[in-house]
Amino acid sequence: MTLIRTCISCTQTDDHPKDIVDHGTFMVVWHLDCHVIATGCPSCKILLAAADGAKGDELRVHLVSLPPLVLDEHGEEVS
Amino acid sequence: MPALDRAEAKRQLDASLGITTYVAPATPMKVGLTTTIGTDTTAGTAVIGGSYSDQNLGPAAAVVGSPTTASNAATISFTGMPDTTSNSVKAVEIKDNAGRRWGYGALTTARTTASGDTLSFAASALVFSQQ
């Protein structure tokens, strides 16, 4: 089953990979690129840096093939 | 939200009553996602798949109140999540960097991810409390 969600920023509804942000009592869903543009989200920025413009299924394949990413409190990658 | 692991509760109680010296956790503290809710003695079932890995908790200092609370100081992001449509993320596990369990807690609302999603917790979304 493919999840169809709506990006809060561009309002497009699709099955592209999203950043699902849990605020405790509610959640907000972003396309990764929309999240970078709107807020500068550091984790989305890192994920997209090597994606070479991929979208949708191509981006999904790229994301799950990445090595595990551990981020510090500033959203910087922990080496 | 989270409840203390029973062994951690004993460590804290004994230390605060002057019976033993508290052995501090190995930092950084880690947070993991689970598809079942743990108990006071047993961890929940960890999320596996994708490029998921546990993340640093980055807790802020506790704030005195009723109850006294502490929370994550900044956004925590779990990247490369697996498809959890048939087994949603229901809880978190807190442990130290050496794997010593601190506690667990159910999410207010279970979250479902598609393969490749990031699941993030905004600052102060994970709240730990003690009376």
Side-chain angles (χ1 to χ4, degrees):
Chain A
M1 188 173 84
T2 304
L3 281 178
I4 308 293
R5 286 81 44 92
T6 301
C7 172
I8 192 173
S9 182
C10 71
T11 69
Q12 190 171 321
T13 300
D14 54 39
D15 66 351
H16 294 182
K18 306 284 196 310
D19 188 357
I20 300 158
V21 184
D22 187 317
H23 289 264
T25 54
F26 66 97
M27 72 170 188
V28 177
V29 177
W30 303 81
H31 282 123
L32 305 189
D33 52 349
C34 294
H35 206 186
V36 173
I37 292 167
T39 72
C41 174
S43 64
C44 290
K45 191 180 293 184
I46 291 171
L47 292 174
L48 292 174
D52 201 24
K55 301 248 184 202
D57 286 340
E58 198 181 359
L59 176 58
R60 188 188 325 283
V61 169
H62 167 73
L63 294 172
V64 297
S65 69
L66 292 172
L69 181 65
V70 179
L71 305 170
D72 68 14
E73 65 272 25
H74 307 297
E76 302 289 337
E77 188 170 1
V78 177
S79 56
Chain B
M1 158 179 88
L4 281 180
D5 176 82
R6 201 168 285 176
E8 176 63 19
K10 173 174 171 50
R11 282 191 290 271
Q12 292 187 13
L13 202 52
D14 285 349
S16 64
L17 293 172
I19 298 168
T20 58
T21 300
Y22 183 70
V23 178
T27 56
M29 295 297 284
K30 296 283 187 179
V31 56
L33 303 177
T34 61
T35 56
T36 61
I37 302 170
T39 70
D40 291 353
T41 55
T42 306
T45 304
V47 166
I48 54 169
S51 54
Y52 165 85
S53 68
D54 294 346
Q55 294 294 320
N56 294 340
L57 175 61
V63 177
V64 174
S66 181
T68 294
T69 60
S71 61
N72 55 312
T75 299
I76 301 169
S77 292
F78 295 86
T79 62
M81 287 290 292
D83 182 337
T84 60
T85 49
S86 61
N87 209 4
S88 61
V89 178
K90 298 179 184 69
V92 296
E93 285 281 330
I94 311 294
K95 53 204 156 191
D96 77 359
N97 201 32
R100 189 177 90 183
R101 191 172 186 238
W102 183 86
Y104 67 98
L107 300 180
T108 305
T109 305
R111 300 300 183 194
T112 303
T113 57
S115 175
D117 279 353
T118 296
L119 180 55
S120 299
F121 294 90
S124 303
L126 300 177
V127 180
F128 322 113
S129 61
Q130 263 188 350
Q131 293 296 332

